[in-house]
Amino acid sequence: VSTAASTSPLVTSARGEVVRHASTPRLGRRMRASGRYAVLSVFVVLSLFPLYWIFTSSLMPTADVFRVPPAWTFPPSLVSYRTILGMVNKTNGGTDFVRYAVNSIVIAVGTAIPSLALGTMAAYGITRCRVRWGQRYLSGVLIGRLVPPVVLLVPLFSIWSALHMVDSQIAVIVTLLSFGLPFVIWMMSGFFNELPRELDEAAMVDGASRLTCLWRVIVPASVAGLTVTAFFVLLGAWNEYLIPIILTQNNAEPIAVAIQSYVSGFNTQWGELFAASTLAFLPVLVAGAFAQRYLVRGFTSGVLKG
Amino acid sequence: VAVDDAAQVEDPAVEMARSGRSRLTPRHVGGLARREHRSGVALATPAAIAVAAIIVVPLVYAVWLSLHRTPLTGAPVFAGLGEYSQVLHTPQFWDSLVVTAKVVVPTIAVELVLGTVLALLLHNLPGGNVIRLLIMVPILLSPAIIGADWSVMLNRESGIVDYVLGLAHLPQVAFISSGGAAVPTVDGAYAWQNLGFTLIVVTAGLANIPGELTDAVVIDGASYLQRLRYLVLPMLVPLFWIVIFWRFVTLIEDYGLIGLLTGGGPGTDTQTVTLYIYAQLTTGVNTGFASAAAILVALITVVVGYVIARFAFIKRPT
């Protein structure tokens, strides 16, 4: 390989594939790479510094968050965490953060499971079963997703009120299916289009039903796609704000809604806000770390290849 | 599972009939296709019913509301398109549309340009995967919480951002409390959080460009910029449309980030249509008016969104 580099601008492997372009001198290439790292590290700092600052502020009492110049070193204090977790009594600002967190989990998981189940079935049905109006089905779902949720707030509130289900997790979950289902249907039909048709045809010839075929053959073959899709449905429901702000009052309130109680009103609790932010971000970051190897791979196939 | 000769089989029933392994006649084959169609319908129906129940039913109700005037006391009165004409004669409604455009268009433009540049810089770079993940972290976080946190960090008196600007001897800015700066600040906050989306989509696009193509133009002596201009960017265009589509939908409907960052202020400088409708719903007395505004916004969103989607998903096979 090295001898080829000195004579030809292209480095080729044994199989004759071009491995790299060798016309650029190595030093120049290395300098260019360090330029790339320099630009990229600016963006990494810009992306992460605010989060670092949120985290460090969560370890300060509220009074110190306000201090100018900011305190760069300080004895870490968990007082904000103790407050939001309800370890101090309500008159001192204690909140039921654990209950909000449970609500967020229930809403996220409760939205994701039916979205994935029904959405995967639908995507499989319209991509694999020669459904005549499959394209129209996809367009219809897309148009449904395009309706801004703010348009539906009053009717949704009236309907759930009539059912006496306002401030219940069920109401939020069912409503959030309107985001989850279209997303899953579109993502999964992209992934299913990638799979060779012989896969299900072989199973069908063996006498499997469509549902068995989906569950036994297609789902195991689309783990990467399902992981990406599930991750984003969970994420969307965990982070959702507008729907729960309308449909919950106190019992079913998730973290994203409860967070505003720290910033509204006369006594803004910065320390508590940042502690609650940190606790709300943590599970997402952990889940993201586990899902990350699927994320880019999942995106490289499926809907984007369309 | 895939058998070699199965690769040429288009329809197992047809193939079976042809090979004589089964005694299916074309009529039976048609029946099989019909049965296929029917099982497809059965699979797709539950999701369709759910979407219809959750979106279409409230939407019809919203249309009904928009056609009625709601007096302070008593039952709604049919008003025809009266509320619509009232909305169209309200300057604040038009202002909120302009604000929405000032948020949506520059934000998407910045995200597209920066996200694409970052994806190109990261392409085939050692350690690029880690850097990419770090830049993508903000996209995972709740927009509402991000809005609340940025409102603290961008505070003119006590925020960290103006403090850092002061340290660097740069002019300090009243980011969210001055009229001129508020809209660009909102755009910046959106772009800060969502840069990773363009990045991941363009990264996927770059990975899908066949290596032989790049090699071919390299052999033809194309420079990096020529490669970019004539090969890479044209191949990324469909993905740009996907980014534009998804960001258009999510920016229009966002209430969390902008609501907790500026709440539409100062004054109504950052009041997007979503914030305007929400304010009408919660502080206004006439749900008919708010619903008419909402239906108009829904129409605009669906039409523009659908046009963008035609570009984004034009090749989608089913």
Side-chain angles (χ1 to χ4, degrees):
Chain A
V1 170
S2 57
T3 50
S6 53
T7 52
S8 140
L10 294 168
V11 181
T12 48
S13 73
R15 280 179 297 157
E17 295 157 327
V18 177
V19 174
R20 64 182 166 83
H21 193 225
S23 66
T24 323
R26 189 163 291 164
L27 179 67
R29 205 162 349 107
R30 204 177 299 157
M31 274 171 62
R32 216 177 287 166
S34 53
R36 282 157 94 178
Y37 285 118
V39 175
L40 290 165
S41 54
V42 171
F43 278 91
V44 171
V45 170
L46 282 177
S47 299
L48 296 184
F49 180 74
L51 304 177
Y52 163 80
W53 194 78
I54 288 168
F55 173 66
T56 53
S57 301
S58 75
L59 297 172
M60 294 181 216
T62 288
D64 283 354
V65 179
F66 251 124
R67 205 160 67 196
V68 176
W72 293 104
T73 57
F74 54 90
S77 135
L78 291 176
V79 64
S80 299
Y81 288 90
R82 292 171 55 85
T83 309
I84 63 167
L85 290 172
M87 291 180 200
V88 302
N89 61 39
K90 288 248 162 79
T91 48
N92 288 330
T95 58
D96 291 334
F97 190 85
V98 176
R99 183 158 49 85
Y100 306 141
V102 170
N103 284 333
S104 285
I105 294 169
V106 170
I107 289 170
V109 176
T111 305
I113 291 174
S115 295
L116 286 165
L118 299 183
T120 306
M121 273 166 55
Y124 181 68
I126 51 178
T127 52
R128 291 302 170 122
C129 298
R130 282 172 289 211
V131 170
R132 284 185 282 273
W133 31 259
Q135 185 61 55
R136 245 174 283 164
Y137 185 99
L138 279 176
S139 302
V141 165
L142 187 78
I143 290 172
R145 178 63 186 81
L146 283 172
V147 176
V150 73
V151 175
L152 310 176
L153 291 184
V154 171
L156 284 171
F157 185 78
S158 312
I159 292 168
W160 289 115
S161 297
L163 297 170
H164 301 289
M165 286 174 79
V166 168
D167 206 17
S168 73
Q169 297 153 339
I170 294 281
V172 179
I173 289 170
V174 172
T175 308
L176 288 184
L177 292 182
S178 65
F179 298 94
L181 275 173
F183 181 75
V184 174
I185 293 172
W186 269 84
M187 288 289 282
M188 291 319 295
S189 50
F191 289 116
F192 290 159
N193 275 331
E194 294 260 292
L195 296 176
R197 280 183 173 273
E198 292 77 42
L199 216 58
D200 25 359
E201 277 161 6
M204 301 286 293
V205 169
D206 288 347
S209 78
R210 272 294 173 190
L211 215 53
T212 317
C213 173
L214 170 63
W215 182 242
R216 289 279 161 82
V217 180
I218 301 299
V219 164
S222 348
V223 172
L226 274 169
T227 308
V228 182
T229 309
F231 178 75
F232 280 105
V233 176
L234 283 167
L235 188 70
W238 175 271
N239 289 340
E240 176 58 28
Y241 179 70
L242 182 59
I243 296 296
I245 212 179
I246 291 295
L247 293 182
T248 65
Q249 273 133 22
N250 191 25
N251 276 329
E253 208 172 50
I255 301 174
V257 174
I259 211 95
Q260 62 172 344
S261 65
Y262 304 116
V263 277
S264 58
F266 296 106
N267 183 20
T268 306
Q269 303 162 290
W270 307 125
E272 285 79 354
L273 167 69
F274 292 129
S277 304
T278 306
L279 290 183
F281 294 162
L282 267 181
V284 168
L285 295 180
V286 172
F290 279 109
Q292 51 95 1
R293 75 195 173 94
Y294 289 107
L295 291 185
V296 173
R297 211 203 309 160
F299 266 95
T300 22
S301 53
V303 93
L304 298 183
K305 244 181 177 173
Chain B
V1 179
V3 193
D4 262 347
D5 65 7
Q8 295 115 29
V9 178
E10 282 202 318
D11 186 328
V14 173
E15 180 61 22
M16 276 161 66
R18 214 183 286 141
S19 65
R21 266 187 287 153
S22 115
R23 297 201 290 151
L24 282 178
T25 65
R27 201 171 60 84
H28 287 102
V29 173
L32 205 111
R34 243 200 323 279
R35 215 167 50 229
E36 281 274 85
H37 173 78
R38 231 177 294 144
S39 57
V41 172
L43 284 165
T45 303
I49 292 174
V51 170
I54 308 160
I55 299 174
V56 178
V57 171
L59 191 59
V60 170
Y61 189 15
V63 171
W64 185 88
L65 283 171
S66 73
L67 297 173
H68 290 74
R69 189 181 305 277
T70 335
L72 271 175
T73 53
V77 187
F78 183 73
L81 295 175
E83 297 296 329
Y84 285 91
S85 115
Q86 192 131 30
V87 170
L88 293 175
H89 286 98
T90 305
Q92 287 94 319
F93 175 73
W94 293 102
D95 291 345
S96 72
L97 278 173
V98 172
V99 170
T100 307
K102 283 199 280 188
V103 169
V104 170
V105 176
T107 302
I108 295 180
V110 168
E111 287 177 18
L112 266 183
V113 172
L114 286 183
T116 306
V117 168
L118 288 179
L120 290 169
L121 287 176
L122 282 162
H123 193 53
N124 287 341
L125 191 71
N129 285 340
V130 177
I131 300 175
R132 189 178 298 121
L133 285 171
L134 293 177
I135 294 176
M136 278 168 50
V137 163
I139 204 175
L140 304 178
L141 310 177
S142 151
I145 301 178
I146 287 299
D149 290 341
W150 272 117
S151 79
V152 174
M153 294 189 282
L154 292 170
N155 185 296
R156 175 68 185 85
E157 277 77 41
S158 57
I160 176 79
V161 178
D162 270 320
Y163 174 75
V164 170
L165 288 178
L167 279 188
H169 299 288
L170 290 167
Q172 292 169 313
V173 184
F175 287 101
I176 47 181
S177 48
S178 76
V183 168
T185 301
V186 169
D187 295 355
Y190 278 127
W192 174 80
Q193 176 164 29
N194 294 288
L195 196 53
F197 179 66
T198 312
L199 177 57
I200 195 172
V201 172
V202 174
T203 301
L206 291 175
N208 281 338
I209 295 178
E212 308 90 64
L213 262 182
T214 327
D215 293 344
V217 295
V218 168
I219 291 168
D220 288 346
S223 73
Y224 180 75
L225 284 180
Q226 284 172 321
R227 232 188 312 158
L228 213 57
R229 168 73 185 78
Y230 296 104
L231 174 74
V232 177
L233 290 181
M235 290 198 77
L236 290 177
V237 167
L239 297 179
F240 292 155
W241 282 111
I242 287 182
V243 172
I244 293 171
F245 169 76
W246 186 247
R247 292 299 295 138
F248 171 78
V249 175
T250 45
L251 278 170
I252 284 265
E253 71 189 21
D254 176 66
Y255 179 75
L257 193 150
I258 194 167
L260 288 182
L261 178 58
T262 68
T268 55
D269 282 355
T270 57
Q271 193 174 54
T272 58
V273 283
T274 293
L275 290 174
Y276 177 71
I277 294 169
Y278 192 86
Q280 293 304 311
L281 287 174
T282 48
T283 63
V285 273
N286 189 350
T287 35
F289 179 87
S291 301
I295 294 297
L296 286 172
V297 169
L299 276 176
I300 297 171
T301 313
V302 168
V303 170
V304 176
Y306 196 73
V307 169
I308 301 175
R310 296 290 296 196
F311 286 102
F313 304 112
I314 207 150
K315 288 184 307 175
R316 164 156 307 288
T318 35

